[in-house]
Amino acid sequence: MHIKTLPSWLSSKLSRSIKYLLLALFLSVTLLLAYTLHDGFRSQVITLWFNLGAFETYQPEDLHKKSQWKYLSEQEFDEVIMDTVSSLKPPLKNHAKVFDIGMGVGAAFKVLQNHYPNLKLAGSDISSTAINHAKDIFPKFKDQFHVHDMTIKHEWIKDNTFDHVFSFGALAMYLTQEKMLIAIEEAIRITKPGGSLAFTHFIEPNAQPRRSIVAPIPKAFWFEALPQMGVSNIRIQTMPHEGERYQVLCTKNKKGH
């Protein structure tokens, strides 16, 4: 009995798919243990994880899945983003300048543009693959998207540049507490006096779902730490579709305050 072999192109494609699945499984397990890893290795694992997500193919409406928000539907992701944006003080306006720290492929920007089509977008991410995708998706703002570590100063950005600065998940999920404060200090620096900031997807110790969150942070910590960093109007709110995860919102003090 003669058994036909697979065409070489199909065999190669299947081989690549199997390698991808095995690597994705390895990274998934590693991320679950991320809080035990050395900072440098953790950063490399996270970068690989998001590069893998950015390589995957999804429908345009599922752009958020390229940034590993695979457990949320398009509507749920929209509700997560807009829940945060609707709580900003001062509120987001249509011609505002906004910056997303850890922007991924720009999934949050896609949601924001649907509601505020005239926003001026800018952002950074550690993943070059994600940033390249974002530049393709938002060509008008491609020069405003940069590959950069959020814990290092964005040297090309002057102080007090943006009306609103936020990080949807990246800062809260993949940094240690010490590095969160460094990244937040940088976010505050580039925010205009009186501008608003939001950081999402924190979780308290023993709360769920933790998944890949590196460092659980008690809510009380923010009321102690943030006033010393030049912000006020600090609020902590729960998030839709995210269990016990929470978000932190605040306003940069105006000069003289």
Side-chain angles (χ1 to χ4, degrees):
M1 180 178 178
H2 178 67
I3 299 176
K4 291 183 177 180
T5 59
L6 292 171
S8 60
W9 66 269
L10 180 56
S11 176
S12 176
K13 186 174 182 179
L14 287 173
S15 177
R16 289 196 302 270
S17 297
I18 291 170
K19 289 178 181 178
Y20 170 84
L21 288 172
L22 290 174
L23 182 56
L25 177 61
F26 166 75
L27 289 172
S28 297
V29 173
T30 306
L31 278 173
L32 291 174
L33 302 174
Y35 61 94
T36 68
L37 301 175
H38 181 273
D39 280 357
F41 183 54
R42 182 193 302 116
S43 175
Q44 293 176 20
V45 170
I46 291 167
T47 302
L48 281 171
W49 176 246
F50 283 103
N51 281 341
L52 279 172
F55 272 124
E56 292 187 68
T57 301
Y58 295 104
Q59 296 299 316
E61 63 270 17
D62 289 329
L63 180 63
H64 65 285
K65 293 183 179 180
K66 281 182 171 285
S67 288
Q68 301 293 2
W69 300 107
K70 299 177 183 178
Y71 59 91
L72 295 171
S73 68
E74 178 193 9
Q75 179 177 341
E76 288 171 340
F77 184 73
D78 187 292
E79 290 171 357
V80 167
I81 300 302
M82 293 311 298
D83 178 76
T84 299
V85 169
S86 65
S87 301
L88 293 173
K89 294 182 181 179
L92 183 63
K93 295 183 179 179
N94 199 18
H95 291 273
K97 294 179 64 176
V98 300
F99 194 94
D100 187 358
I101 295 180
M103 62 175 281
V105 296
F109 284 153
K110 177 176 175 288
V111 173
L112 292 178
Q113 278 199 326
N114 289 338
H115 297 269
Y116 304 92
N118 297 313
L119 290 177
K120 298 176 178 65
L121 309 179
S124 63
D125 196 274
I126 198 172
S127 167
S128 59
T129 305
I131 288 296
N132 287 335
H133 275 279
K135 288 181 176 182
D136 290 339
I137 296 164
F138 307 96
K140 180 179 177 181
F141 300 103
K142 64 181 182 179
D143 293 338
Q144 304 302 318
F145 300 154
H146 297 268
V147 179
H148 194 72
D149 185 329
M150 68 176 72
T151 64
I152 299 173
K153 185 176 181 179
H154 295 62
E155 295 285 355
W156 67 94
I157 302 177
K158 296 180 180 180
D159 296 356
N160 310 320
T161 294
F162 294 96
D163 300 297
H164 310 275
V165 176
F166 30 69
S167 178
F168 293 105
L171 183 152
M173 297 178 76
Y174 303 114
L175 298 182
T176 61
Q177 178 176 298
E178 179 183 6
K179 290 199 169 184
M180 286 180 196
L181 293 177
I182 294 171
I184 289 173
E185 183 176 27
E186 173 66 355
I188 295 170
R189 180 187 72 81
I190 66 176
T191 304
K192 293 178 181 179
S196 56
L197 304 98
F199 310 102
T200 72
H201 290 81
F202 295 100
I203 199 163
E204 291 197 283
N206 302 316
Q208 296 296 329
R210 177 171 177 178
R211 294 195 183 101
S212 57
I213 294 177
V214 171
I217 307 293
K219 294 176 181 177
F221 172 78
W222 300 113
F223 293 108
E224 299 172 2
L226 290 179
Q228 303 175 47
M229 301 175 73
V231 298
S232 54
N233 197 19
I234 300 161
R235 292 103 61 211
I236 291 178
Q237 299 176 186
T238 56
M239 304 180 64
H241 313 299
E242 292 288 359
E244 295 179 280
R245 294 176 176 184
Y246 67 90
Q247 56 191 315
V248 177
L249 304 104
C250 56
T251 305
K252 181 173 178 176
N253 294 339
K254 294 182 178 181
K255 293 181 180 180
H257 287 243

